[in-house]
Amino acid sequence: MSTSSAGRLLPAPAPSGPAPLLRRILLQGKYETLAMVRNGEQLILAVILPLLALLGLTVTPLLDGLGAPRVDIAVPGILALCAMSTAFTGQGIATGFDRRYGVLRFLSTTPLGRTGLIAGKILAVLAVLVLQLVVVGTVAAALGWQPRPEGWLPGLTMLVLGAAAFTALGLLVAGTVRPEATLAITNLLWILLGALGGIVVPAERLPDAVGTVAHFLPSGALGAAMREAFLHGTFAVPSLIILLLWTVVPGAAAIRWFKWN
Amino acid sequence: MRSPESPVLSIEGLIKDVGPLAALDGKMLRVVNGVTLHAGRGQVTALLGANGAGKTTTLECAQGLQKRSGGSIRLLGEDPDLAGATLRSRVGVMLQDGGLPPSARPLPLLRHIAGMYADPLPLEPLVERLGIDTFSRSSVRRLSGGQKQRLALAAALIGNPEVLFLDEPSAGLDPQSRQIVFELIAELRDSGMGIILTTHLMDDAQRLADYVYIIDAGHNVAEGTVAELLQHGESGKNGVTERTLSFEAPAGLDLRGILGPLSEGLLMSEGRAGSYTVTGALGPAHLARLTAWWAEKGIMPASLRLEARSLEDVFLDISGRDIR
């Protein structure tokens, strides 16, 4: 550095032009995916805890008497839990801190822009979800999971819709409160919804009052829809409508109230 | 009022309200109230003002980061609120807080941002020039203020923009970083880039700016080249130009005696022994008398410095208060 290169002029400013939109979004998606995968805490939340929950549900009698093997009831709910980990808690916390450090503002001044930034985040959620699906699916297969082949289409559709709902909710929280509050809220809700939200333990197994509420929560709707898909091979239409509402309303609220700085 | 040919940025009567704020009983606060400025290619245009004067808000409205409440902004001929990726690719932004993710490492981060452009600058010369290669193994959160600023500057330049916004570019810079950054800014200006920066440091404006807008309480209070601003008010105080002469010479000189009647109205002091300051309406006659006397006595001062007003004085004059 000491030679400070006098005379080594940078070229005259020349319009570079932006990279194509798709390339910008893919790049941002890749960047955010790597950031999520490299974050130890996020990895615990996204992979380790769901796997522990899966093991817990298959070795305890909690899911007995529901008309199917424990593992077959457990896995769809665990996949739903994965979507909540990544889209809600993981992406929410990451976005909250990016907002604090001005990363969102800086990136929105580059050719990426705000739209590209959000698209990149959604892409990262989907990419991590695929990784989770592979890991959980492999472990589940070893535990004897036998999903109905016709369950994959409704199952994956509902998983993506659930991820959309949780992304909208995560961004709404991240964009409106301080990052420390986002951290607390999304972690607390992950625990509460994970235990009592009808996501891994079916609403029917919860106390009556809690179970009724759980049906209408994004967690309960996604859990029920995933079990419906992989146990019976069908679309759970009421759950689908509930999840759509949980996508559109928080999504609109996030668009309206998200603060970039 | 100046309007350079082919301005890169034109702001007319910018108004920005924020709120409603609880502290104001739910009323809006007008943080920018009629700022007008024009910035040209190949020039450094500085917005100078105290903290809270509305400089950053003005810049963020121009960058499309905040929506204005009134007035008009043309950035490279376009409305920044409607900016697409093409306009954004022509504009580089260095934010006050850097805007870099703390867990990122410098080179992958720069490579990532470079990927957003069709034809970015080659990374290596830029990295070398800004000395980023000396700390490229650390994550952003471990960098010093000056290192972060240099990295943020590289990130703003990687698309080889036509317009460069720098919000408080010397904030947190150590002397070495400052030298590197200032040299680069001057070079970019000479290569034709239009550079708009904010600062609350007079020294920055004096060293870098071709044209200065002084902003106070959300509106323009003065503008001009540094030289023009320094002349401002020089003739204002009873038509007298105030200057300061300082020099080092043998201790205990009787300046009043040497200057005789010429010393009337001057402020003279010997701070440290042998270190003299004379302030007031100094003219050629004073210098002639002083140097003639030195010549007579065979005295050669160790140092000698004559200064006109500083921008700081001008700011104080105009706004009636200190900039800090």
Side-chain angles (χ1 to χ4, degrees), chain A residues 41 89 92-93 97 173 177-188:
Chain A
E41 292 144 46
T89 310
I93 293 170
F97 280 96
V173 176
V177 303
R178 289 184 306 121
E180 290 80 6
T182 301
L183 188 82
I185 291 169
T186 57
N187 272 322
L188 191 65

Side-chain angles (χ1 to χ4, degrees), chain A residues 1 4-5 8-19 23-24 27-28 31 101-103 105-106 108-111 113-114, chain B residues 60 65 85 88-89 93 95 97 99 101-102 104 109 112 115-119 121 128-129 131 159-161 183-184 187 191:
Chain A
M1 195 51 239
S4 169
S5 50
R8 186 172 205 154
L9 287 170
L10 294 162
S16 149
R23 191 172 136 212
R24 303 198 302 265
L27 264 181
Q28 186 63 23
Y31 190 83
Y101 294 117
V103 179
R105 286 187 310 141
F106 170 66
S108 61
T109 69
T110 70
R114 289 183 180 178
Chain B
E60 293 203 336
L65 283 173
R88 289 196 301 271
S89 74
V93 175
L95 298 172
D97 51 12
L109 179 66
H112 174 59
M116 301 295 165
Y117 298 86
D119 187 20
L121 287 179
E128 200 178 301
R129 179 66 198 266
N160 198 15
E183 273 176 17
L184 184 57
E187 203 175 293
S191 74

Side-chain angles (χ1 to χ4, degrees), chain A residues 23 27, chain B residues 106-116 123 158:
Chain A
R23 191 172 136 212
L27 264 181
Chain B
L107 296 184
L109 179 66
L110 287 176
R111 257 181 238 119
H112 174 59
I113 296 161
M116 301 295 165
L123 204 58
I158 195 79

Side-chain angles (χ1 to χ4, degrees), chain A residues 13-190:
Chain A
S16 149
L21 176 65
L22 189 63
R23 191 172 136 212
R24 303 198 302 265
I25 293 173
L26 286 175
L27 264 181
Q28 186 63 23
K30 182 178 143 198
Y31 190 83
E32 299 234 0
T33 304
L34 287 175
M36 287 177 94
V37 178
R38 283 179 186 151
N39 183 318
E41 292 144 46
Q42 291 217 22
L43 219 51
I44 289 175
L45 200 69
V47 178
I48 309 294
L49 291 180
L51 283 180
L52 286 178
L54 175 60
L55 290 176
L57 289 173
T58 47
V59 298
T60 62
L62 203 63
L63 299 178
D64 285 354
L66 286 168
R70 289 172 189 173
V71 68
D72 288 352
I73 302 174
V75 175
I78 295 299
L79 291 176
L81 184 68
C82 285
M84 186 164 77
S85 298
T86 302
F88 181 63
T89 310
Q91 188 58 262
I93 293 170
T95 305
F97 280 96
D98 275 358
R99 192 178 135 231
R100 148 80 51 88
Y101 294 117
V103 179
L104 300 183
R105 286 187 310 141
F106 170 66
L107 285 177
S108 61
T109 69
T110 70
L112 181 65
R114 289 183 180 178
T115 324
L117 186 55
I118 305 252
K121 286 189 177 295
I122 292 169
L123 201 61
V125 167
L126 292 176
V128 174
L129 204 51
V130 168
L131 293 174
Q132 291 171 302
L133 194 63
V134 169
V135 174
V136 171
T138 307
V139 173
L143 292 172
W145 181 42
Q146 287 178 323
R148 297 171 72 108
E150 68 271 32
W152 284 103
L153 177 65
L156 292 183
T157 308
M158 298 308 289
L159 194 61
V160 170
L161 180 58
F166 280 118
T167 302
L169 282 164
L171 291 181
L172 177 61
V173 176
T176 49
V177 303
R178 289 184 306 121
E180 290 80 6
T182 301
L183 188 82
I185 291 169
T186 57
N187 272 322
L188 191 65
L189 279 178
W190 187 87

Side-chain angles (χ1 to χ4, degrees), chain A residues 227-250:
Chain A
R227 283 183 286 275
E228 179 84 17
F230 283 109
L231 290 171
H232 308 294
T234 49
F235 275 98
V237 177
S239 303
L240 188 135
I241 293 168
I242 293 170
L243 282 177
L244 273 178
L245 282 173
W246 278 106
T247 307
V248 172
V249 176

